[in-house]
Amino acid sequence: MALTEDPRTAPSIRWGILGAGGIAAAFAEAVRSSTRAPIVAVGSRDRTRSERFATAHGIPTTHVGYRDLVEDPQVDAVYVATPHSEHREHALLAIAAGKHVLVEKAFTRNAAEAEEVFEAARAAGVFVMEAMWTRFLPHVAAVHQVIDSGEIGEVVAVHADHGQYFPFDPSHRLYDPALAGGALLDLGVYPVAFAQDFLGVPTQVRAVGALTETGVDGQLAIVLSYGDRTQAALTTTLWAKTPTTAAISGTEGSITIEGSFYAPTSFRVSRRDGRSWTFDQPVQHGLQYEAAEVARRVAEGATESPRMTWADTLGVLRTMDEVRAQVGVVYPGE
């Protein structure tokens, strides 16, 4: 079964990393070990943190603050890895400097902020993409092949969950409304984007949830409807490590994706006629696939990716906006 293209075959592009946290470290390791692209600079508000990050990942240039990073002439593309609350500001900063941008998910706090970023990118003629790495992983490409071949028939149901345990700490970014905390934007974005990848934009959104003491969503159950008979049932929580599995069920069979469904993993196809088989082709890391996508699209002069379009990002954010509206989560400044 054909997989996605080898990230090492993508053109070289010079990366600057904006933010020096955990996801930035994972991205740096994946790019350094599994692509041809160099990471030439990192920027953080904290000099010591920036220097430690650069040393750990072999990055030659450090910047204190983000403006110097985005204006660094060495940098072709900026990876934004700051909290959700800052994505809009930092993406616009990079776009204003003429840089291509990869923005961690959730792309922004809401759809209105995303529209502002995309309008700026359109005017500047630069590439922008949400870093929904799952879209570019080999097992997801293989799942699409199975569905497109008709092997499980008409898809009628999608199930996906993503829960991780975080002890309550009002200063932690996931519990802080000012940092756009909560389960949905950090964890639930994966099930929502997964459902959209296979079913499109829902015709109806229904959500129930429980809030934390700080007023962000701690746990959610979401049902998305697509016409008369197709649904997605999605859950997310900050209060438990869940199986993080996903399943796509059709009239002729089903696909069960092992946890973590959003990271490189395996899946099993089980048909109604009794036949079954397993896809299991391990890859290391995973974030290199989205980085390679940016490099390929920039090389061809595109401003968006056909696998993670601006419309895709807006669709996911509009769904999450509706979920938050139904459970009563509003961030400061919205």
Side-chain angles (χ1 to χ4, degrees):
M1 179 174 290
L3 301 178
T4 49
E5 294 180 76
D6 185 341
R8 292 180 181 85
T9 67
S12 180
I13 189 171
R14 298 174 300 176
W15 285 101
I17 296 182
L18 194 158
I23 189 62
F27 181 82
E29 180 59 28
V31 168
R32 187 173 66 166
S33 66
S34 301
T35 78
R36 295 189 294 161
I39 302 171
V40 297
V42 60
S44 172
R45 292 192 177 114
D46 185 302
R47 179 183 299 277
T48 300
R49 193 172 191 183
S50 182
E51 290 175 350
R52 285 177 178 169
F53 190 96
T55 299
H57 299 286
I59 301 171
T61 303
T62 61
H63 294 288
V64 179
Y66 301 135
R67 185 172 297 278
D68 286 349
L69 173 74
V70 301
E71 293 180 350
D72 188 332
Q74 301 176 90
V75 173
D76 299 316
V78 173
Y79 170 60
V80 174
T82 46
H84 307 126
S85 55
E86 300 182 68
H87 286 180
R88 169 195 164 275
E89 176 189 347
H90 294 155
L92 290 174
L93 192 69
I95 290 167
K99 298 301 194 291
H100 307 292
V101 192
L102 177 66
V103 183
E104 254 313 317
K105 76 267 162 262
F107 186 78
T108 49
R109 295 185 300 178
N110 53 52
E113 289 184 349
E115 288 173 338
E116 186 178 354
V117 172
F118 292 141
E119 185 54 42
R122 185 179 291 111
V126 298
F127 179 92
V128 173
M129 187 180 85
E130 182 177 10
M132 180 47 70
W133 64 311
T134 308
R135 291 269 171 119
F136 305 97
L137 297 177
H139 76 282
V140 174
V143 169
H144 274 287
Q145 285 189 343
V146 171
I147 293 171
D148 292 346
S149 73
E151 190 161 356
I152 66 167
E154 176 197 356
V155 174
V156 295
V158 169
H159 295 79
D161 86 273
H162 189 189
Q164 304 289 342
Y165 176 71
F166 293 92
F168 179 68
D169 176 357
S171 66
H172 191 284
R173 68 178 183 85
L174 288 180
Y175 286 99
D176 187 348
L179 297 180
L184 182 62
L185 263 62
D186 203 79
L187 308 178
V189 63
Y190 282 111
V192 173
F194 182 81
Q196 181 180 291
D197 191 16
F198 292 97
L199 297 177
V201 175
T203 54
Q204 188 178 67
V205 177
R206 290 288 181 266
V208 294
L211 305 188
T212 70
E213 296 93 323
T214 52
V216 299
D217 50 294
Q219 183 161 283
L220 296 167
I222 304 164
V223 176
L224 308 179
S225 297
Y226 303 82
D228 293 334
R229 73 185 209 140
T230 303
Q231 294 179 327
L234 316 172
T235 58
T236 186
T237 182
L238 297 178
W239 299 328
K241 174 67 174 75
T242 64
T244 64
T245 56
I248 302 172
S249 302
T251 52
E252 299 299 323
S254 62
I255 303 168
T256 304
I257 305 173
E258 295 298 322
S260 302
F261 77 86
Y262 50 86
T265 189
S266 59
F267 65 80
R268 185 167 185 80
V269 177
S270 302
R271 284 176 48 88
R272 196 158 53 87
D273 61 14
R275 289 185 291 158
S276 64
W277 58 274
T278 299
F279 173 91
D280 189 8
Q281 297 183 22
V283 298
Q284 283 192 312
H285 307 299
L287 296 174
Q288 66 269 26
Y289 289 94
E290 67 180 7
E293 174 72 2
V294 175
R296 289 192 178 100
R297 300 307 170 190
V298 166
E300 68 185 26
T303 55
E304 60 184 304
S305 164
R307 270 298 283 138
M308 192 65 206
T309 66
W310 297 353
D312 288 338
T313 291
L314 288 169
V316 169
L317 283 166
R318 286 170 184 146
T319 295
M320 295 198 299
D321 286 352
E322 178 60 25
V323 169
R324 288 200 294 121
Q326 291 186 20
V327 300
V329 173
V330 179
Y331 298 127
E334 282 192 307

